[in-house]
Amino acid sequence: MSLPQLPLPTDPAPACTCTPSAAAPARGEPDGTAGRFGPTHALILLIAFLGLGTGLFLAGTELQTVFALLGGCGAIGAATLTAAGGGRRLISVLAEAAVRSGAGK
């Protein structure tokens, strides 16, 4: 059973004559928030990592390999955020965690 072929248009589509008005409200991110890593981004990443890890495990990948891959992705993401944001806060948190773990706390 085959589907019938639809006829293709022979004439070009009309050009858009609409112009954006100055009175239209601006949409998108508020001023000063572009590029910020917020709680919504963190939730999306959490869901993506859970889905990726689950998919790899269900596909038969060893659990140790799944953890290594997800850990590598997390390290790359942390390095990217550090480089993009100046990284002072993240570096200070990582340094504090290293000092505390070295001190046995």
XYZ file of all heavy atoms in Angstrom:
711
model
N 0.846 -1.171 0.000
C 0.000 0.000 0.000
C 0.892 1.235 0.000
O 1.712 1.424 0.872
C -0.898 -0.017 1.240
C -1.760 1.172 1.360
S -2.806 0.974 2.808
C -3.592 2.511 2.765
N 0.745 2.060 -0.980
C 1.554 3.270 -1.057
C 0.652 4.492 -0.878
O -0.521 4.481 -1.224
C 2.287 3.341 -2.385
O 1.356 3.474 -3.424
N 1.244 5.524 -0.363
C 0.514 6.765 -0.154
C 0.530 7.589 -1.436
O 1.518 7.576 -2.177
C 1.157 7.571 0.967
C 1.125 6.922 2.356
C 1.917 7.762 3.336
C -0.302 6.775 2.829
N -0.540 8.311 -1.716
C -0.540 9.140 -2.926
C 0.429 10.304 -2.775
O 0.635 10.842 -1.677
C -1.989 9.627 -3.021
C -2.507 9.553 -1.632
C -1.796 8.400 -0.979
N 1.055 10.675 -3.856
C 1.994 11.798 -3.853
C 1.226 13.121 -3.799
O 0.260 13.307 -4.520
C 2.867 11.758 -5.110
C 3.793 10.566 -5.161
C 4.851 10.623 -4.071
O 5.343 11.689 -3.725
N 5.173 9.475 -3.510
N 1.657 14.013 -2.939
C 1.033 15.327 -2.831
C 1.624 16.246 -3.893
O 2.827 16.197 -4.174
C 1.275 15.926 -1.443
C 0.639 15.170 -0.277
C 1.052 15.803 1.032
C -0.865 15.156 -0.414
N 0.802 17.093 -4.470
C 1.346 18.005 -5.488
C 2.223 19.072 -4.840
O 1.929 19.583 -3.768
C 0.094 18.623 -6.110
C -0.950 18.499 -5.061
C -0.636 17.246 -4.293
N 3.310 19.392 -5.505
C 4.212 20.427 -5.019
C 3.760 21.784 -5.541
O 3.264 21.883 -6.665
C 5.637 20.143 -5.484
C 6.271 18.867 -4.934
C 7.630 18.639 -5.579
C 6.408 18.951 -3.433
N 3.906 22.842 -4.750
C 3.518 24.170 -5.235
C 4.439 24.602 -6.384
O 5.634 24.330 -6.386
C 3.687 25.073 -4.024
C 4.562 24.337 -3.093
C 4.398 22.880 -3.382
N 3.866 25.284 -7.350
C 4.648 25.720 -8.509
C 5.048 27.180 -8.411
O 6.026 27.595 -9.023
C 3.830 25.521 -9.796
O 2.594 26.222 -9.668
C 3.566 24.045 -10.037
N 4.320 27.986 -7.657
C 4.661 29.398 -7.539
C 5.332 29.651 -6.182
O 5.076 28.939 -5.219
C 3.424 30.278 -7.703
C 2.295 29.867 -6.772
O 2.235 28.674 -6.406
O 1.476 30.720 -6.417
N 6.201 30.650 -6.088
C 6.888 30.913 -4.820
C 5.921 31.458 -3.771
O 4.884 32.026 -4.094
C 7.944 31.962 -5.193
C 7.441 32.590 -6.439
C 6.627 31.545 -7.154
N 6.274 31.246 -2.535
C 5.453 31.741 -1.427
C 5.527 33.262 -1.379
O 6.554 33.852 -1.716
C 5.948 31.160 -0.115
N 4.444 33.918 -0.962
C 4.477 35.390 -0.882
C 5.440 35.851 0.208
O 5.630 35.176 1.223
C 3.037 35.769 -0.552
C 2.432 34.548 0.028
C 3.152 33.377 -0.576
N 6.061 36.981 0.008
C 6.992 37.536 0.977
C 6.247 38.032 2.207
O 5.110 38.493 2.113
C 7.774 38.683 0.342
N 6.890 37.952 3.334
C 6.293 38.423 4.582
C 6.275 39.946 4.590
O 7.286 40.600 4.344
C 7.092 37.900 5.769
S 6.467 38.459 7.358
N 5.124 40.505 4.866
C 5.001 41.959 4.898
C 4.909 42.501 6.316
O 4.739 43.695 6.511
C 3.748 42.397 4.120
O 2.608 41.780 4.710
C 3.864 42.014 2.663
N 5.012 41.640 7.296
C 4.885 42.102 8.679
C 6.207 42.712 9.139
O 7.288 42.279 8.764
C 4.467 40.972 9.592
S 5.591 39.573 9.570
N 6.125 43.721 9.965
C 7.300 44.357 10.550
C 7.112 44.393 12.055
O 5.998 44.605 12.551
C 7.493 45.793 10.032
O 6.314 46.536 10.321
C 7.753 45.803 8.544
N 8.174 44.178 12.805
C 8.021 44.234 14.261
C 7.726 45.659 14.713
O 8.346 46.607 14.243
C 9.371 43.751 14.789
C 10.314 43.876 13.643
C 9.505 43.825 12.386
N 6.757 45.795 15.579
C 6.401 47.137 16.054
C 7.219 47.485 17.285
O 7.643 46.624 18.042
C 4.908 47.206 16.380
O 4.635 46.459 17.539
N 7.425 48.749 17.486
C 8.188 49.210 18.640
C 7.402 49.036 19.931
O 7.969 48.989 21.008
C 8.570 50.675 18.450
N 6.071 48.932 19.811
C 5.234 48.803 21.001
C 5.156 47.359 21.489
O 4.636 47.108 22.562
C 3.827 49.309 20.705
N 5.658 46.409 20.703
C 5.592 45.005 21.108
C 6.507 44.783 22.305
O 7.634 45.281 22.340
C 6.006 44.111 19.955
N 6.037 44.035 23.314
C 6.881 43.798 24.487
C 8.062 42.896 24.127
O 7.938 41.980 23.328
C 5.929 43.109 25.467
C 4.871 42.500 24.622
C 4.734 43.398 23.419
N 9.193 43.184 24.713
C 10.390 42.377 24.475
C 10.248 41.052 25.204
O 9.784 40.997 26.339
C 11.619 43.131 24.960
N 10.638 40.006 24.536
C 10.579 38.679 25.144
C 11.993 38.148 25.250
O 12.897 38.584 24.576
C 9.715 37.762 24.302
C 8.263 38.168 24.334
C 7.390 37.049 23.778
N 6.002 37.323 24.025
C 5.195 37.932 23.187
N 5.649 38.358 22.035
N 3.927 38.130 23.486
N 12.163 37.159 26.094
C 13.481 36.561 26.268
C 13.963 36.769 27.685
O 13.185 36.947 28.614
N 15.255 36.753 27.823
C 15.843 36.885 29.142
C 15.853 38.340 29.590
O 16.107 39.233 28.796
C 17.272 36.352 29.118
C 17.347 34.870 28.801
C 18.774 34.382 28.710
O 19.684 35.222 28.614
O 18.956 33.175 28.724
N 15.595 38.573 30.870
C 15.704 39.941 31.387
C 17.143 40.444 31.291
O 18.073 39.658 31.203
C 15.273 39.816 32.858
C 14.597 38.505 32.969
C 15.112 37.642 31.864
N 17.317 41.746 31.318
C 18.655 42.324 31.219
C 19.538 41.823 32.349
O 19.125 41.750 33.498
C 18.583 43.853 31.275
C 17.939 44.431 30.020
O 17.957 43.733 28.984
O 17.416 45.557 30.085
N 20.763 41.490 32.011
C 21.736 41.074 33.012
C 21.673 39.610 33.388
O 22.418 39.165 34.245
N 20.788 38.830 32.805
C 20.691 37.426 33.183
C 21.200 36.495 32.101
O 21.182 35.293 32.273
C 19.238 37.037 33.509
O 18.441 37.254 32.350
C 18.709 37.823 34.679
N 21.640 37.018 30.973
C 22.106 36.165 29.888
C 23.361 35.418 30.319
O 24.301 35.978 30.859
C 22.395 37.009 28.658
N 23.358 34.124 30.115
C 24.529 33.320 30.407
C 24.659 32.868 31.843
O 25.648 32.252 32.197
N 23.698 33.154 32.673
C 23.793 32.707 34.064
C 23.350 31.268 34.194
O 22.424 30.817 33.540
C 22.931 33.578 34.972
C 23.493 34.942 35.147
C 22.841 35.631 36.300
N 23.372 36.987 36.424
C 22.818 37.903 37.149
N 21.715 37.652 37.810
N 23.354 39.094 37.235
N 24.022 30.554 35.073
C 23.684 29.165 35.343
C 22.770 29.146 36.554
O 23.184 29.424 37.668
C 24.959 28.357 35.611
C 24.717 26.898 35.813
C 24.494 26.067 34.736
C 24.693 26.354 37.080
C 24.268 24.727 34.914
C 24.465 25.009 37.265
C 24.254 24.197 36.183
N 21.494 28.857 36.324
C 20.514 28.916 37.395
C 19.969 27.554 37.762
O 20.413 26.515 37.266
N 18.982 27.526 38.642
C 18.414 26.262 39.096
C 17.728 25.482 37.978
O 17.724 24.252 37.988
C 17.419 26.670 40.183
C 17.224 28.126 40.058
C 18.409 28.674 39.327
N 17.168 26.178 37.007
C 16.535 25.463 35.891
C 17.582 24.717 35.083
O 17.372 23.561 34.696
C 15.785 26.462 34.983
O 14.863 27.198 35.776
C 15.063 25.745 33.872
N 18.724 25.356 34.850
C 19.797 24.689 34.123
C 20.305 23.476 34.900
O 20.596 22.427 34.323
C 20.950 25.659 33.869
C 20.556 26.846 33.057
N 20.356 28.074 33.620
C 20.301 26.989 31.741
C 20.008 28.925 32.683
N 19.960 28.295 31.528
N 20.434 23.628 36.209
C 20.907 22.515 37.038
C 19.932 21.346 36.978
O 20.351 20.185 36.899
C 21.098 22.980 38.479
N 18.639 21.621 37.006
C 17.640 20.562 36.923
C 17.696 19.850 35.572
O 17.630 18.622 35.499
C 16.242 21.126 37.161
C 15.094 20.129 37.091
C 15.235 19.072 38.176
C 13.764 20.832 37.205
N 17.853 20.618 34.514
C 17.946 20.018 33.181
C 19.177 19.122 33.091
O 19.115 18.000 32.557
C 17.973 21.122 32.104
C 16.607 21.803 32.035
C 18.363 20.556 30.740
C 16.587 23.058 31.192
N 20.309 19.584 33.625
C 21.517 18.763 33.598
C 21.355 17.505 34.439
O 21.816 16.431 34.055
C 22.713 19.571 34.090
C 23.270 20.576 33.094
C 24.376 21.403 33.731
C 23.785 19.876 31.861
N 20.709 17.629 35.589
C 20.484 16.462 36.440
C 19.646 15.416 35.716
O 19.990 14.228 35.707
C 19.799 16.886 37.738
C 19.418 15.757 38.692
C 20.670 15.083 39.221
C 18.562 16.279 39.812
N 18.576 15.855 35.090
C 17.713 14.923 34.354
C 18.474 14.304 33.183
O 18.361 13.101 32.920
C 16.432 15.640 33.893
C 15.578 15.998 35.114
C 15.649 14.777 32.917
C 14.412 16.909 34.809
N 19.271 15.122 32.485
C 20.043 14.599 31.352
C 21.056 13.558 31.812
O 21.199 12.502 31.175
C 20.742 15.740 30.628
N 21.743 13.811 32.924
C 22.729 12.850 33.414
C 22.062 11.581 33.917
O 22.574 10.477 33.702
C 23.579 13.487 34.513
C 24.810 14.147 33.983
C 24.720 15.329 33.272
C 26.044 13.592 34.173
C 25.842 15.938 32.770
C 27.188 14.188 33.671
C 27.082 15.373 32.965
N 20.925 11.717 34.600
C 20.209 10.520 35.044
C 19.743 9.696 33.850
O 19.852 8.464 33.848
C 19.015 10.909 35.922
C 19.355 11.457 37.304
C 18.090 11.944 37.991
C 20.039 10.413 38.136
N 19.233 10.370 32.826
C 18.791 9.661 31.627
C 19.943 8.997 30.895
O 19.833 7.852 30.435
N 21.061 9.715 30.774
C 22.223 9.154 30.095
C 22.774 7.949 30.844
O 23.060 6.903 30.245
C 23.311 10.226 29.953
C 24.599 9.813 29.264
C 24.329 9.392 27.832
C 25.601 10.947 29.306
N 22.911 8.070 32.144
C 23.411 6.952 32.948
C 22.487 5.745 32.893
O 22.935 4.602 32.756
N 21.191 5.990 32.983
C 20.216 4.893 32.906
C 20.257 4.226 31.540
O 20.247 2.993 31.438
C 18.796 5.418 33.188
O 18.784 6.044 34.473
C 17.778 4.309 33.161
N 20.327 5.050 30.488
C 20.388 4.486 29.133
C 21.629 3.640 28.912
O 21.567 2.557 28.319
N 22.764 4.121 29.393
C 23.999 3.345 29.250
C 23.928 2.038 30.026
O 24.353 0.987 29.546
C 25.201 4.166 29.729
C 25.633 5.310 28.824
C 26.665 6.175 29.529
C 26.195 4.772 27.520
N 23.365 2.088 31.239
C 23.258 0.878 32.044
C 22.311 -0.134 31.413
O 22.596 -1.323 31.355
C 22.802 1.224 33.463
C 22.681 0.028 34.358
C 23.811 -0.619 34.818
C 21.442 -0.460 34.729
C 23.711 -1.738 35.640
C 21.323 -1.558 35.545
C 22.458 -2.206 36.005
N 21.173 0.362 30.919
C 20.213 -0.548 30.288
C 20.737 -1.117 28.977
O 20.303 -2.190 28.543
C 18.883 0.166 30.051
C 18.099 0.519 31.316
C 16.845 1.307 30.966
C 17.736 -0.737 32.101
N 21.665 -0.411 28.348
C 22.268 -0.908 27.107
C 23.338 -1.960 27.378
O 23.884 -2.530 26.442
C 22.866 0.247 26.315
N 23.635 -2.210 28.647
C 24.585 -3.266 28.990
C 25.976 -2.772 29.344
O 26.885 -3.581 29.504
N 26.159 -1.474 29.477
C 27.463 -0.942 29.850
C 27.717 -1.236 31.324
O 26.809 -1.131 32.151
C 27.508 0.580 29.619
O 27.076 0.846 28.290
C 28.889 1.137 29.830
N 28.955 -1.610 31.649
C 29.279 -1.898 33.044
C 29.100 -0.642 33.890
O 29.344 0.477 33.424
C 30.720 -2.368 33.156
C 30.974 -3.719 32.515
C 32.425 -4.149 32.691
O 33.121 -3.574 33.558
O 32.849 -5.045 31.967
N 28.695 -0.837 35.122
C 28.410 0.284 36.006
C 29.652 1.139 36.253
O 29.564 2.368 36.307
C 27.839 -0.231 37.331
C 27.078 0.755 38.182
C 25.956 1.394 37.394
C 26.517 0.077 39.410
N 30.811 0.516 36.369
C 32.048 1.252 36.574
C 32.336 2.172 35.387
O 32.761 3.310 35.558
C 33.202 0.271 36.771
C 34.515 0.928 37.086
C 35.605 -0.102 37.331
O 35.394 -1.294 37.161
N 36.766 0.364 37.748
N 32.060 1.707 34.187
C 32.274 2.514 32.988
C 31.277 3.664 32.930
O 31.627 4.783 32.538
C 32.143 1.637 31.728
O 33.035 0.527 31.850
C 32.465 2.416 30.479
N 30.032 3.405 33.317
C 29.017 4.467 33.334
C 29.446 5.581 34.281
O 29.397 6.772 33.932
C 27.632 3.908 33.749
C 26.641 5.034 33.970
C 27.113 2.942 32.705
N 29.916 5.212 35.472
C 30.357 6.220 36.433
C 31.562 6.988 35.921
O 31.678 8.198 36.131
C 30.666 5.581 37.790
C 29.445 5.147 38.546
C 29.472 4.003 39.326
C 28.268 5.867 38.490
C 28.359 3.597 40.035
C 27.145 5.476 39.186
C 27.192 4.329 39.960
N 32.481 6.300 35.257
C 33.662 6.982 34.713
C 33.261 7.980 33.628
O 33.772 9.110 33.590
C 34.642 5.955 34.159
N 32.350 7.580 32.745
C 31.903 8.481 31.681
C 31.170 9.696 32.241
O 31.413 10.830 31.831
C 31.006 7.729 30.702
C 31.699 6.722 29.791
C 30.665 5.886 29.050
C 32.602 7.430 28.815
N 30.258 9.470 33.182
C 29.514 10.590 33.762
C 30.422 11.495 34.590
O 30.248 12.716 34.605
C 28.348 10.073 34.606
C 27.243 9.351 33.832
C 26.152 8.897 34.774
C 26.681 10.219 32.737
N 31.405 10.913 35.271
C 32.368 11.719 36.014
C 33.210 12.588 35.094
O 33.494 13.750 35.397
N 33.597 12.024 33.958
C 34.345 12.803 32.978
C 33.520 13.945 32.415
O 34.015 15.065 32.240
N 32.253 13.674 32.132
C 31.369 14.743 31.642
C 31.214 15.835 32.693
O 31.209 17.025 32.368
C 29.996 14.166 31.288
S 29.983 13.161 29.810
N 31.073 15.443 33.938
C 30.953 16.423 35.015
C 32.213 17.257 35.165
O 32.140 18.465 35.399
N 33.373 16.639 35.022
C 34.633 17.374 35.122
C 34.777 18.376 33.981
O 35.211 19.511 34.192
C 35.802 16.399 35.118
N 34.391 17.959 32.783
C 34.445 18.872 31.638
C 33.486 20.039 31.861
O 33.816 21.196 31.589
C 34.126 18.128 30.338
C 35.258 17.159 30.001
C 33.891 19.093 29.189
C 34.942 16.204 28.867
N 32.270 19.754 32.359
C 31.298 20.816 32.626
C 31.784 21.778 33.690
O 31.634 22.998 33.553
N 32.381 21.255 34.753
C 32.897 22.122 35.807
C 34.036 22.994 35.294
O 34.115 24.186 35.608
C 33.364 21.289 36.993
N 34.910 22.417 34.471
C 36.014 23.203 33.904
C 35.491 24.288 32.970
O 36.009 25.408 32.957
C 36.972 22.284 33.160
N 34.459 23.963 32.209
C 33.878 24.947 31.299
C 33.241 26.101 32.069
O 33.435 27.275 31.729
C 32.831 24.284 30.388
O 33.450 23.213 29.693
C 32.236 25.266 29.408
N 32.479 25.777 33.113
C 31.868 26.838 33.931
C 32.930 27.679 34.621
O 32.780 28.897 34.752
C 30.930 26.229 34.967
C 29.605 25.706 34.438
C 28.823 25.020 35.554
C 28.792 26.832 33.854
N 34.010 27.042 35.045
C 35.090 27.773 35.699
C 35.744 28.746 34.729
O 35.968 29.912 35.051
C 36.147 26.793 36.236
O 35.520 25.915 37.149
C 37.271 27.524 36.930
N 36.022 28.265 33.524
C 36.679 29.120 32.532
C 35.756 30.239 32.067
O 36.197 31.371 31.859
C 37.128 28.281 31.343
N 34.474 29.940 31.909
C 33.541 30.934 31.383
C 33.190 32.003 32.415
O 32.984 33.158 32.060
C 32.268 30.250 30.897
N 33.111 31.625 33.670
C 32.657 32.574 34.679
C 33.751 33.196 35.503
O 33.490 33.809 36.532
N 34.971 33.037 35.098
C 36.046 33.568 35.923
C 36.451 32.559 36.977
O 37.606 32.461 37.338
N 35.496 31.808 37.474
C 35.748 30.657 38.315
C 36.212 30.909 39.728
O 36.598 29.979 40.409
N 36.175 32.139 40.205
C 36.686 32.395 41.551
C 35.908 31.631 42.608
O 36.489 31.027 43.508
C 36.640 33.889 41.852
C 37.604 34.681 41.031
C 37.592 36.160 41.425
N 38.187 36.923 40.341
C 37.524 37.719 39.540
N 36.229 37.893 39.707
N 38.138 38.360 38.583
N 34.589 31.665 42.502
C 33.768 31.011 43.523
C 33.930 29.491 43.464
O 34.094 28.837 44.493
C 32.309 31.397 43.336
C 31.413 30.813 44.387
C 30.010 31.350 44.270
N 29.166 30.745 45.268
C 27.898 30.518 45.122
N 27.296 30.890 44.021
N 27.193 29.950 46.065
N 33.882 28.919 42.250
C 34.005 27.470 42.113
C 35.374 26.997 42.568
O 35.492 25.987 43.260
C 33.740 27.055 40.670
C 33.791 25.562 40.374
C 32.759 24.811 41.214
C 33.541 25.304 38.909
N 36.418 27.727 42.219
C 37.764 27.333 42.635
C 37.891 27.397 44.153
O 38.490 26.513 44.767
C 38.823 28.221 41.940
C 38.888 27.864 40.454
C 40.191 28.057 42.586
C 39.779 28.755 39.642
N 37.293 28.413 44.778
C 37.373 28.513 46.233
C 36.619 27.378 46.908
O 37.072 26.837 47.916
C 36.862 29.868 46.716
O 35.480 29.991 46.464
N 35.477 26.985 46.336
C 34.722 25.859 46.903
C 35.506 24.564 46.751
O 35.591 23.756 47.687
C 33.336 25.752 46.222
C 32.657 24.440 46.568
C 32.465 26.922 46.633
N 36.097 24.345 45.576
C 36.890 23.128 45.364
C 38.118 23.107 46.267
O 38.476 22.063 46.817
C 37.301 23.020 43.898
C 36.181 22.754 42.902
C 36.719 22.762 41.477
C 35.485 21.442 43.192
N 38.767 24.252 46.454
C 39.932 24.313 47.329
C 39.526 24.027 48.771
O 40.228 23.293 49.483
C 40.596 25.680 47.206
N 38.408 24.578 49.192
C 37.941 24.322 50.557
C 37.610 22.849 50.758
O 37.940 22.255 51.782
C 36.703 25.173 50.848
C 36.173 24.983 52.253
C 34.921 25.819 52.513
O 34.589 26.681 51.683
O 34.294 25.584 53.564
N 36.976 22.233 49.753
C 36.652 20.803 49.857
C 37.929 19.959 49.912
O 37.998 18.976 50.672
C 35.789 20.389 48.677
N 38.934 20.343 49.133
C 40.194 19.593 49.158
C 40.888 19.714 50.510
O 41.415 18.731 51.030
C 41.094 20.098 48.034
N 40.868 20.922 51.085
C 41.502 21.120 52.388
C 40.764 20.337 53.466
O 41.378 19.694 54.307
C 41.555 22.630 52.729
C 41.958 22.856 54.180
C 42.527 23.333 51.799
N 39.448 20.382 53.418
C 38.676 19.644 54.429
C 38.876 18.138 54.313
O 38.961 17.439 55.303
C 37.188 19.980 54.310
C 36.870 21.343 54.828
C 35.381 21.608 54.754
N 35.105 22.968 55.180
C 34.058 23.285 55.900
N 33.172 22.378 56.219
N 33.869 24.537 56.252
N 38.917 17.625 53.068
C 39.107 16.181 52.912
C 40.518 15.778 53.319
O 40.728 14.697 53.850
C 38.835 15.766 51.459
O 39.822 16.301 50.599
N 41.476 16.674 53.088
C 42.848 16.385 53.514
C 42.997 16.432 55.026
O 43.826 15.723 55.594
N 42.193 17.263 55.672
C 42.253 17.362 57.132
C 41.427 16.292 57.818
O 41.460 16.155 59.029
C 41.771 18.743 57.573
N 40.675 15.519 57.057
C 39.877 14.437 57.638
C 38.558 14.882 58.204
O 37.976 14.199 59.028
N 38.053 16.038 57.794
C 36.767 16.522 58.331
C 35.630 16.020 57.513
O 35.575 16.008 56.358
C 36.760 18.041 58.375
C 37.728 18.584 59.372
C 37.583 20.090 59.459
C 38.540 20.646 60.479
N 38.468 22.069 60.593
